[in-house]
Amino acid sequence: FTISKQGVSYTPACLKVKVGKELTLPASTVHPLQGGPDIGGVENPIRIEREGRIDDFTFTATKAGFYSYYCTQHGNSVNGGAMGGLIWVYE
């Protein structure tokens, strides 16, 4: 699955995928990508790997949980703001 950027939002903003799916999240100098905090004790692989990097990020969802992410220029770490999203990974 690939999440895209449109203006200052991600499409889709919320995504539900099964464990084992590969996901790609876009990033650029205009839209640096950062993972949000861990939710429910499940480590967010986007947060661990990103730290505001400007290259696209591809990962395989290996654990069920909720993974948030946001653009450091147009979103925020509290609720994603204008440019944030959430991935629900289920078994």
Side-chain angles (χ1 to χ4, degrees):
F1 289 96
T2 299
I3 294 168
S4 62
K5 354 176 246 262
Q6 291 186 319
V8 290
S9 64
Y10 291 108
T11 303
C14 296
L15 181 65
K16 181 180 175 184
V17 299
K18 194 165 179 133
V19 166
K21 293 293 181 185
E22 184 177 85
L23 299 144
T24 299
L25 297 127
S28 68
T29 55
V30 177
H31 302 290
L33 179 67
Q34 176 65 51
D38 297 341
I39 299 172
V42 178
E43 285 186 331
N44 184 346
I46 308 164
R47 178 190 56 78
I48 294 167
E49 298 292 330
R50 296 309 303 175
E51 297 184 15
R53 292 179 50 190
I54 59 171
D55 54 318
D56 292 353
F57 179 58
T58 299
F59 73 102
T60 299
T62 59
K63 293 183 181 176
F66 294 93
Y67 305 133
S68 64
Y69 58 93
Y70 62 97
C71 166
T72 61
Q73 297 296 319
H74 305 104
N76 66 63
S77 63
V78 176
N79 63 11
M83 192 168 188
L86 181 73
I87 301 166
W88 174 14
V89 178
Y90 70 96
E91 293 192 36

